[in-house]
Amino acid sequence: MQRWIILTAVTAALSGLAAPAQAADPAPATTTVTLGDATIDAKLPGRVRVDVGYLCSVGAEARSLTVSVEQKDPQDSSSIAFGSSRTAEADVICDGTQQQRQIVVQSKTFNWIPDVDAVLTATVSDIGATPPAVADAKRVPLAAAPEPESAPAPVPAS
């Protein structure tokens, strides 16, 4: 009987030493979204490229990234260019690290006007995260994209 008690005590002590310490789960990432610059596409003036940074936590829940742009024509108050783009759920990377994306938004009405203010709005929804959705909005002038540089003409050989 005495051997059984000693063996049980030693086995319990060894299993306690061999078991890995359970690390506390890290706190889930806070969902954030930040808008950057917006540039009109040089070849397609009905498209604008919006820089967006976001962070969302790891999870199996539904998530989405939506960006919208609205711009009033300063010469004609009845003309408003607007459009939005929603990124497919599979393309929204939620792994707890900061992500950078450039989202293309197509105007549904008029071409974008360079150097005129537009309202940008971005929303990240991450169901199950804290908070489950966040948005950022700002007013920025839409920058005209630089024209693509053409290759210099070849110099004729003399």
Side-chain angles (χ1 to χ4, degrees):
M1 181 73 159
Q2 205 173 26
R3 285 187 209 166
W4 181 79
I5 295 173
I6 293 172
L7 183 60
T8 304
V10 169
T11 304
L14 288 177
S15 65
L17 292 175
Q22 296 222 355
D25 288 337
T30 301
T31 303
T32 62
V33 63
T34 307
L35 284 160
D37 295 329
T39 307
I40 299 171
D41 190 303
K43 292 184 179 181
L44 298 168
R47 290 185 182 172
V48 67
R49 298 179 185 284
V50 181
D51 295 325
V52 179
Y54 69 92
L55 180 140
C56 50
S57 62
V58 178
E61 300 289 337
R63 55 194 174 263
S64 70
L65 169 63
T66 305
V67 177
S68 64
V69 181
E70 181 179 323
Q71 182 187 52
K72 292 182 181 179
D73 185 338
Q75 304 298 322
D76 181 4
S77 62
S78 65
S79 296
I80 299 175
F82 65 92
S84 67
S85 179
R86 182 180 177 278
T87 304
E89 181 178 341
D91 294 336
V92 180
I93 300 169
C94 288
D95 61 3
T97 62
Q98 184 69 30
Q99 302 293 318
Q100 291 296 123
R101 300 281 303 263
Q102 189 174 70
I103 307 296
V104 176
V105 178
Q106 175 72 44
S107 174
K108 307 293 187 216
T109 54
F110 303 100
N111 285 341
W112 304 108
I113 304 168
D115 303 320
V116 173
D117 282 356
V119 175
L120 310 177
T121 307
T123 305
V124 172
S125 300
D126 185 15
I127 307 303
T130 304
V134 294
D136 187 20
K138 70 180 189 177
R139 181 181 305 270
V140 297
L142 294 182
E147 289 294 324
E149 292 183 28
S150 58
V155 177
S158 46

